[in-house]
Amino acid sequence: MGRRKLFLTLVLACPALLITTAILLSEKDELPSMKKKNSRMFHTAVTSSDSVYNTWQCRVMYYWFQKHNPNSNEMGGFTRILHSGRPDSLMQEIPTFVAQPLPASLHRGYLVLNRPWALLQWLNQAQIREDYILMCEPDHLILSPIPNLTQDRRHGAAFPFFYIDPTAHEPVLRKFFPRHMGPITNIDSIGNSPLILGKEALKRIVPTWMNVSIAMKKDSEADKAFGWVLEMYAYAVASAMHDVPNVLHKEFMIQPPWDTTIGNAYIIHYTYGCDYDLQGRLTYGKIGEWRFDKRMYGNRWPPRNLSMPPRGVPQSVVTLVKMVNEATANLPNWGAAAY
């Protein structure tokens, strides 16, 4: 009853969301897969804005998806879910679904809230042939063919984030996950990405995720406690509300510079800046003599042939730069104004 009340309260408070949805599908999104379909195949979904920042990341990410997809029996189709509300120049390069953005009155400057809203539109209106969904982000580089890591359609396969700690925020989270729903430990230390889940289970979770995200953003205590990871907490809460447990896979991805080796990882997530001196020593928190930070390229394209890090810099960072350089060297019209 609590779940339903929360959902109805928020949806009824913003009926415009239910009547202003418009979509566009690129033709590529409808192309049949050349692989023989099996029940374990998953569709990769990446939410994105139309900013330069997200555009170059999506091109690099999709390059590596295409490179590894033919070598996997479980990686199916790919969709960039573009929440700008209008087509852009990548429509012919990357299979794309165009979703409407949230009104500013709802996201309140926290544009990440467009993610669950865009995914909700896509799940409700697109034709998705695969039975599972892998949620990824533009700053993910696929290292090798990704298997379907789930046990079954009732369990998610997710990456454990050390900074998602539900037990440390129990008083705040109880506003959204009341005691009658179970112990706070039912909320996993996850975000929505990377995560693989059965399509039907995800369809049940996403509306709740959207509404919990909006409710948390409106709540000053939750907004202050969770900050830039608010929608990650909201997904973890929504998953617990729908009794969908997640099996945690540390090998799902690595995050340089903190993870120094590749190991058995499937994804590099380059969310942190990599700063080193010329002796190969990490200078995190201080701009290094050599650096790679995606935020350097918020309004401009990174150049082709980025300089390689100094000798002694960890394998993970070297691999990251090599992968970006390979993609940019092979992608046409890199940095062109048309993009």
Side-chain angles (χ1 to χ4, degrees):
M1 184 65 185
R3 269 182 287 184
R4 186 181 179 196
K5 183 177 181 182
L6 172 64
F7 178 78
L8 290 176
T9 299
L10 290 169
V11 170
L12 291 175
C14 42
L17 293 182
L18 302 180
I19 60 175
T20 61
T21 303
I23 64 168
L24 283 169
L25 281 166
S26 74
E27 291 182 1
K28 284 188 176 184
D29 196 58
E30 292 297 304
L31 291 177
S33 172
M34 298 298 291
K35 300 177 185 178
K36 183 176 180 180
K37 186 179 184 297
N38 67 64
S39 61
R40 296 282 292 169
M41 289 185 73
F42 59 84
H43 193 102
T44 300
V46 178
T47 56
S48 173
S49 72
D50 61 356
S51 66
V52 170
Y53 182 64
N54 272 175
T55 297
W56 70 258
Q57 291 175 38
C58 282
R59 293 193 76 195
V60 172
M61 195 272 183
Y62 187 56
Y63 171 87
W64 285 102
F65 171 87
Q66 288 183 298
K67 189 157 187 173
H68 292 300
N69 179 272
N71 300 317
S72 168
N73 291 322
E74 295 179 330
M75 293 173 67
F78 183 103
T79 300
R80 177 184 63 136
I81 304 173
L82 181 66
H83 49 70
S84 63
R86 57 184 181 273
D88 69 356
S89 57
L90 287 188
M91 299 292 290
Q92 298 307 310
E93 179 177 330
I94 303 177
T96 298
F97 174 96
V98 179
Q100 295 303 303
L102 274 174
S105 60
L106 291 178
H107 66 64
R108 301 185 175 200
Y110 182 54
L111 298 180
V112 184
L113 292 191
N114 281 306
R115 183 175 294 157
W117 173 227
L119 272 160
L120 178 62
Q121 295 171 67
W122 176 64
L123 288 168
N124 283 343
Q125 300 177 60
Q127 294 182 2
I128 306 163
R129 294 175 174 84
E130 297 84 355
D131 294 327
Y132 291 81
I133 306 295
L134 164 62
M135 293 186 285
C136 279
E137 296 179 22
D139 60 353
H140 286 178
L141 300 179
I142 298 175
L143 287 160
S144 62
I146 302 173
N148 187 336
L149 297 170
T150 61
Q151 294 179 347
D152 52 49
R153 296 180 191 181
R154 200 182 82 81
H155 291 78
F159 177 79
F161 288 93
F162 71 89
Y163 50 79
I164 302 296
D165 187 358
T167 58
H169 295 285
E170 180 166 3
V172 179
L173 289 172
R174 284 302 184 190
K175 296 181 180 182
F176 313 97
F177 189 72
R179 292 188 182 279
H180 72 267
M181 290 187 175
I184 207 71
T185 51
N186 284 0
I187 302 174
D188 295 319
S189 297
I190 62 169
N192 71 291
S193 170
L195 186 144
I196 303 175
L197 183 62
K199 179 172 61 181
E200 297 307 316
L202 188 62
K203 284 182 177 181
R204 295 192 299 272
I205 290 173
V206 169
T208 306
W209 174 31
M210 181 191 75
N211 285 292
V212 172
S213 296
I214 293 171
M216 284 184 172
K217 188 61 182 174
K218 287 182 177 179
D219 185 279
S220 59
E221 186 181 15
D223 190 24
K224 181 178 179 180
F226 303 140
W228 65 276
V229 295
L230 182 147
E231 57 87 28
M232 295 174 69
Y233 270 99
Y235 181 86
V237 168
S239 183
M241 290 172 71
H242 286 274
D243 300 316
V244 176
N246 297 275
V247 178
L248 305 185
H249 293 267
K250 185 69 173 67
E251 77 279 11
F252 215 145
M253 72 178 185
I254 57 169
Q255 302 185 94
W258 308 119
D259 296 307
T260 58
T261 60
I262 300 298
N264 297 318
Y266 298 107
I267 291 170
I268 291 180
H269 182 207
Y270 55 100
T271 188
Y272 298 105
C274 300
D275 288 272
Y276 293 86
D277 65 21
L278 295 183
Q279 287 69 51
R281 293 174 300 212
L282 181 66
T283 62
Y284 195 76
K286 177 183 177 182
I287 294 177
E289 295 172 282
W290 180 92
R291 72 188 315 238
F292 175 77
D293 188 335
K294 65 178 182 178
R295 294 162 191 82
M296 296 168 60
Y297 306 105
N299 296 305
R300 62 190 177 98
W301 293 68
R304 283 175 164 152
N305 197 27
L306 292 167
S307 66
M308 294 303 297
R311 185 185 300 273
V313 169
Q315 176 198 28
S316 61
V317 179
V318 174
T319 303
L320 162 60
V321 178
K322 284 183 176 179
M323 291 179 74
V324 172
N325 280 346
E326 179 178 330
T328 61
N330 287 283
L331 289 167
N333 302 315
W334 184 256
Y339 286 91

